[in-house]
Amino acid sequence: MTQPQTALPATMTAISIDRPGGPEVLTPVQLPLPVPGPDDVLIRVAAAGINAPDLAQRRGSYNPPPGASPLPGLEVSGEIVGTGERVVALCNGGGYAEYVSVPRGQVLPLPAGRSFAAGATLPETFFTVQQTLVMRAGLAAGMQVLIHGAAGGIGGTAIQVCRLFGANPIAVVSSPAKADYVRALGATDIIDHSSEDFVARARELTGGRGVDRVLDMVGGEYLPRNIEASARGGHIIQIASLDGRKSEISAGALVMKWLTLSGSTLRPQDSAAKAAIAQSLRETVWPAFADGRIRPPRIRATPLANAALAHAAMEQRENFGKIVLVTAFGAAYPDNSIENL
């Protein structure tokens, strides 16, 4: 049941970035509500997901594209103002707020049975995995897919999308606790890189052939090792370079193995591209929520004003799953299955 629509307030609570730096630079402020354009909808935010690009923006290394909100926050759940429709949305920025304006094509229905907190964990990760692994790299049944950072938001989503498409997700993690978590999400094979060489283990798991797809957000020294782990005709998808160092690779290895190496960032893409990803998700992935084929991630939640606390928690090595910020509006819909941060 949706709440009746009421008059909009003059201002809202939002989280601003005072200056590049640590979590302490995130500050609650009072701002006017955003004004939606002709192709936008205004969403009353219930919860906002936290993602690695938000942390990079806070540090000053991932600036918003021209015309986007300078506020952090790339995914939300909530209600469309004026209709009360419950939705999730991929934002171009501004999600850490009580209201956000989003292009209509980037909005999808909140899956039935999912809470607002759970809904806020979906857009950034599912749009990213759908665009890179499915639409660009042609994920198909029977493929062996090596997933780095498998216990994180992107990694956990990739595991589930692989299962949905009939591929085999090989999850790379860094601890037994994370191994247990990705196993619960459906990872068929697990590599703990703190005690195993992921290249040797990936080749062993594939009978020496190597993997068909690699999803990586580390970069650096991982890139040449991903080439080693790949099968002939494989595709390595680089969605971030968290290692921060240059990679040295053999062009000959790329040629001899017939490999594809692609990179991608989601936020700078235009609204038409993002709307196409949303439509692909609507057709191929969203029906799987209704029948339980996609499981909720581990979710920890905290009030919107605690954005600094949430960023600090996400930067801890032991973090896994997703963290969301809950507004006062969202707090009216408690979910007892969600952990408090």
Side-chain angles (χ1 to χ4, degrees), residues 111-123:
R114 294 292 169 101
S115 67
F116 279 131
T121 70
L122 302 178

Side-chain angles (χ1 to χ4, degrees), residues 26 33 61 78 103 118 154 163 214 237 263 299 310 319 327:
L26 297 173
L33 271 63
S61 59
I154 296 288
R163 285 173 47 86
V214 180
I237 306 156
I299 304 170
N319 175 64
T327 66

